[in-house]
Structures are given as C-alpha cells and as structure tokens.
Amino acid sequence: MNKGRLKIILAILAVLIIAFFISNNLLQKPPSKISEDPIQDQVKEEPKFELEESFITLYSEDGKVRWELGAKSMQQFDVATKVTLNQVEAKIYQNKEEVVNLIADKGEVDIETGFIGLKGPITIKSKKKSLKADKLNWNKAKNELIGLGNILIKQEGLRIKGDRFVSQVDLKRLRVLGNVKVISQEVGENNEK
C-alpha cells in the first residue's frame, strides 16, 4: 500500500469514529433535572465522626489556654480539617482569667488554619459589655473578633446598633461600623444620636 491510500483510509476511519460519537450523543436523552427518588428517601450525609458534649481547647504560643470551645455536638464530614459545631459555648481567657463568654447556634472550626466562624443568634458577654450578632469570625492573626449582622451592644448607659463590629477578644477596644446608632439610656430610649 502506498502512503496516499493509507492517508485516505485513516481519514475515512477518523470521519466514521467522529460520526459514531456524534450520533451516539444525539440519541441519548438529556439528563433530567427532576430527581427520580422522592425527597423523603434521600439520605442525609453521615459524618465521618461525631462527638457529643465535647470541648476543643486552643492554646497560645506560650502554652496558656486562649479559648475553650464547647459544643453539644461536633461533626467532621468530608473535609478533614473542618469541624462543624452545634449549640456552641466558648470561654475566652487572658492570663488564666475568663474575660468573655460566648453562646452561638452553630459554628465551624478549621483545625489547619485555626479559623473559627459562628452563626447565630450569638450572644457575647464580658464583665462590662454584652453583644448580639448574627455571625462571628475570629481572626487568629490579629486576635480579633469580627461580628456581622444586627449588631447590638449594651454597656452601662449606652446601647449601640450597627451592621458589624471589630473588637479585640477581651472586648475592650471595639469599633462598630455601618449604619451605627447610639442610644443613651440615661437620657431616654428615644434619643438617638
């Protein structure tokens, strides 16, 4: 066989293979967007592990307890470094003294990065302040709390509302941002500034 005939046979063979794949794809039914199984029969994803009434303790570099993070249940699903928390309670310490107590509905901890994200309603209390928020994140690098959504801060003589806050963990330095309203309780509830 000469090279010209071989090229023609290979070209015809290539055309036949392409035609086969095109006709095969045209004959297939498009995938249905409606599930064949009833929703009731679908199985909820099972966690790889689950702990009940458990605590995670986070330490500072010098070995002191920084956080005690407890939950009614802790679960780990597919992602090996993320732990899901339900009915969360946290205690934050400085110099072995509890400075903040926190309660949240749900949360997530990334064990690898140290990221902690909580969802509310969230209540945070220190000796002089109480805060409420919809979400709360802990910035490990800056050791800051970042609260988001429906912020309400109460302290002696003041109520402060806003969209978000950024604070040191001990709540001593706290900034409220976005749509801020300050209400002096000594003058009256209706006196907004």
Side-chain angles (χ1 to χ4, degrees):
M1 237 196 262
N2 65 23
K3 289 184 181 181
R5 278 190 180 170
L6 183 60
K7 286 182 183 181
I8 292 173
I9 292 172
L10 289 176
I12 292 172
L13 189 58
V15 169
L16 288 174
I17 291 172
I18 292 170
F20 172 76
F21 283 113
I22 291 173
S23 67
N24 194 22
N25 285 337
L26 291 176
L27 294 175
Q28 288 182 353
K29 287 182 8 182
S32 173
K33 294 185 180 185
I34 299 173
S35 173
E36 294 175 11
D37 299 327
I39 291 176
Q40 297 87 347
D41 294 341
Q42 292 179 0
V43 179
K44 201 167 92 173
E45 182 183 10
E46 292 293 322
K48 286 185 177 180
F49 81 83
E50 183 170 12
L51 300 172
E52 292 187 18
E53 303 291 337
S54 302
F55 284 88
I56 296 173
T57 304
L58 301 172
Y59 296 92
S60 61
E61 289 180 10
D62 60 359
K64 294 179 182 173
V65 174
R66 186 180 284 183
W67 285 71
E68 281 183 349
L69 187 64
K72 186 163 186 160
S73 70
M74 295 183 184
Q75 302 169 328
Q76 184 180 33
F77 292 91
D78 286 335
V79 181
T81 63
K82 295 201 189 305
V83 176
T84 302
L85 311 169
N86 294 302
Q87 295 182 344
V88 180
E89 184 174 353
K91 295 178 182 180
I92 302 169
Y93 295 91
Q94 283 188 337
N95 301 322
K96 298 183 180 180
E97 182 182 335
E98 182 182 326
V99 293
V100 174
N101 187 303
L102 183 145
I103 296 172
D105 268 354
K106 296 180 184 228
E108 186 173 277
V109 176
D110 187 321
I111 296 169
E112 190 172 284
T113 65
F115 172 81
I116 298 174
L118 302 173
K119 294 180 183 176
I122 297 168
T123 303
I124 308 166
K125 291 183 180 180
S126 70
K127 290 180 181 178
K128 296 183 179 183
K129 293 181 181 97
S130 76
L131 286 86
K132 293 189 184 264
D134 293 334
K135 294 181 182 179
L136 183 74
N137 296 325
W138 177 51
N139 180 334
K140 181 180 177 183
K142 294 182 179 180
N143 198 26
E144 288 181 332
L145 298 174
I146 302 163
L148 304 166
N150 296 311
I151 304 303
L152 175 61
I153 300 169
K154 292 181 183 179
Q155 65 184 49
E156 190 177 323
L158 285 178
R159 284 180 46 187
I160 303 167
K161 294 180 180 183
D163 294 331
R164 63 187 176 110
F165 76 85
V166 177
S167 172
Q168 295 298 308
V169 173
D170 61 7
L171 302 181
K172 288 182 181 174
R173 285 180 273 158
L174 182 122
R175 292 177 295 169
V176 180
L177 306 162
N179 200 23
V180 178
K181 291 182 181 179
V182 178
I183 303 165
S184 172
Q185 292 175 336
E186 290 151 287
V187 178
E189 290 289 322
N190 296 326
N191 296 334
E192 295 185 6
K193 296 180 182 180

